[in-house]
Amino acid sequence: MKKENNILKWFNNELSNQELEDLKQTENLDVLEKIKHYSAQMEAPKVDAQKALAAFKQKQHTKSTPKVISLNFKTFFKVAAMLVVMLGASYFAFFNDTKTFTTQIAETETLILPDNSEVILNAKSKLTYNKKTWDDKRDLELEGEAFFKVSKGQKFTVTTDAGVVQVLGTQFNVKERDNYFEVNCFEGLVSVTYNNQTVKLKKGKGYKVVDGIIELTESNTIKAPSWLQDESSFTKIALKQVIAELELQYKVKINFENIDDSQLFTGTFTHSNLNTALQSVTIPLKISYKIEKNIVTFYKYEEN
């Protein structure tokens, strides 16, 4: 214990001459000198207690709070909408195989269906079917007018806004316009359903609904609809329906002044010449007409 006390006194320069002599006898003073030298270089940091306390309090007040990320609903809905669009596009790309064909004014188009049935679309018409399910169901949707040559096979169905036509293998024409629905059978047997009532048509028979009035027609001489020969034929049809057909076959707008558009017309007009077509309609009805660019006006003779 005395030895340790002498060493501490030596570090603090408190040894007497006798105690120093005793220490030299028991310790290596060279080693102790080195320890003393390096110890002197290691100065303890001076701390200002007041400043340290103030800094601690300030740190407590400025303690960082966790960030709260608000949910941006606009961004959320945009992402959701994009996902819906992508899913919808994927569905149509991989699962939906709908084929759609359209014709414009004064245009016709011939189509060959997957079963080699033939369809000819008249002007301003639209035909739709699903190629993926065609082998199981030969179903089509029609807007406008089309002539069908159906290959034999499973039931063949044409659906329009006005009625439904079903066949097994035959040739027929379907026309569906505003307030006008007509089906004519040219070969085989056709089943027509209108307002939940079904009628079967044999070759040469027709079914017509104009403004809700049903009429059965018959013609044993016609082998195909006249529009396939670039003509439109009518039998006791209101002038307004004839005018509508003229507008579909020619790029014109037809107005009429003091003309009864409910009067009946029987006749034919060509699709190849506008003046000839207009004369074919107006002369039998004693009507005049004038053409200004793509506007045609019907009026009575006495107003000429």
Side-chain angles (χ1 to χ4, degrees), residues 2 112 293:
K2 181 180 178 180
I112 301 299
K293 295 184 178 180

Side-chain angles (χ1 to χ4, degrees), residues 121-173:
L121 282 179
N122 200 353
K124 200 66 177 175
S125 299
K126 178 180 178 181
L127 184 75
T128 304
Y129 71 91
N130 192 316
K131 184 178 179 180
K132 190 177 185 69
T133 61
W134 183 260
D135 290 340
D136 298 322
K137 295 190 301 180
R138 298 194 296 176
D139 293 349
L140 306 95
E141 294 183 5
L142 173 67
E143 298 176 19
E145 185 172 11
F147 175 71
F148 297 85
K149 291 183 180 180
V150 181
S151 299
K152 292 187 180 297
Q154 298 184 42
K155 189 181 338 183
F156 188 100
T157 303
V158 179
T159 301
T160 73
D161 287 342
V164 178
V165 181
Q166 290 185 331
V167 299
L168 293 177
T170 187
Q171 297 184 24
F172 63 99
N173 191 81

Side-chain angles (χ1 to χ4, degrees), residues 162 175-182 194-195 207-215 236-242 244 260-264:
K175 181 177 182 179
E176 184 267 319
R177 304 288 191 189
D178 290 340
N179 300 313
Y180 192 103
F181 178 55
E182 183 176 11
Y194 174 80
N195 279 350
Y207 182 92
K208 182 166 57 180
V209 183
V210 182
D211 294 328
I213 300 175
I214 300 173
E215 180 184 358
K236 296 181 180 180
I237 296 298
L239 177 60
K240 63 181 179 181
Q241 299 291 347
V242 180
D260 179 12
D261 65 348
S262 65
Q263 59 184 303
L264 302 181

Side-chain angles (χ1 to χ4, degrees), residues 37-274:
H37 172 74
Y38 288 113
S39 295
Q41 309 304 314
M42 298 174 63
E43 183 178 359
K46 296 180 179 180
V47 177
D48 188 325
Q50 295 298 327
K51 288 185 178 180
L53 180 60
F56 175 76
K57 290 181 178 180
Q58 181 65 24
K59 185 176 181 180
Q60 289 295 99
H61 284 297
T62 59
K63 185 178 181 181
S64 61
T65 57
K67 288 186 178 181
V68 178
I69 301 176
S70 61
L71 179 61
N72 190 325
F73 283 99
K74 288 185 178 180
T75 302
F76 174 78
F77 285 124
K78 285 181 180 179
V79 173
M82 290 175 63
L83 287 174
V84 170
V85 171
M86 291 173 65
L87 288 173
S90 298
Y91 169 79
F92 282 102
F94 295 103
F95 298 101
N96 189 46
D97 201 3
T98 299
K99 299 295 183 182
T100 301
F101 304 90
T102 58
T103 53
Q104 303 304 315
I105 292 175
E107 179 184 32
T108 62
E109 183 175 357
T110 300
L111 314 170
I112 301 299
L113 300 178
D115 61 350
N116 289 322
S117 294
E118 181 181 345
V119 182
I120 305 176
L121 282 179
N122 200 353
K124 200 66 177 175
S125 299
K126 178 180 178 181
L127 184 75
T128 304
Y129 71 91
N130 192 316
K131 184 178 179 180
K132 190 177 185 69
T133 61
W134 183 260
D135 290 340
D136 298 322
K137 295 190 301 180
R138 298 194 296 176
D139 293 349
L140 306 95
E141 294 183 5
L142 173 67
E143 298 176 19
E145 185 172 11
F147 175 71
F148 297 85
K149 291 183 180 180
V150 181
S151 299
K152 292 187 180 297
Q154 298 184 42
K155 189 181 338 183
F156 188 100
T157 303
V158 179
T159 301
T160 73
D161 287 342
V164 178
V165 181
Q166 290 185 331
V167 299
L168 293 177
T170 187
Q171 297 184 24
F172 63 99
N173 191 81
V174 180
K175 181 177 182 179
E176 184 267 319
R177 304 288 191 189
D178 290 340
N179 300 313
Y180 192 103
F181 178 55
E182 183 176 11
V183 180
N184 288 289
C185 179
F186 298 96
E187 182 181 289
L189 184 66
V190 176
S191 174
V192 182
T193 300
Y194 174 80
N195 279 350
N196 297 320
Q197 293 185 346
T198 300
V199 175
K200 295 187 183 300
L201 303 177
K202 295 180 179 180
K203 179 180 178 180
K205 304 293 183 180
Y207 182 92
K208 182 166 57 180
V209 183
V210 182
D211 294 328
I213 300 175
I214 300 173
E215 180 184 358
L216 296 177
T217 61
E218 183 173 352
S219 177
N220 294 320
T221 58
I222 298 177
K223 295 182 179 180
S226 61
W227 63 267
L228 293 181
Q229 284 75 49
D230 292 330
E231 293 180 341
S232 290
S233 297
F234 304 88
T235 301
K236 296 181 180 180
I237 296 298
L239 177 60
K240 63 181 179 181
Q241 299 291 347
V242 180
I243 288 175
E245 194 63 31
L246 277 166
E247 291 177 332
L248 292 177
Q249 300 301 335
Y250 296 95
K251 295 181 180 180
V252 296
K253 172 64 178 175
I254 299 178
N255 299 321
F256 46 92
E257 300 173 357
N258 299 320
I259 298 294
D260 179 12
D261 65 348
S262 65
Q263 59 184 303
L264 302 181
F265 172 80
T266 297
T268 299
F269 69 76
T270 181
H271 297 174
S272 58
N273 184 283
L274 177 59

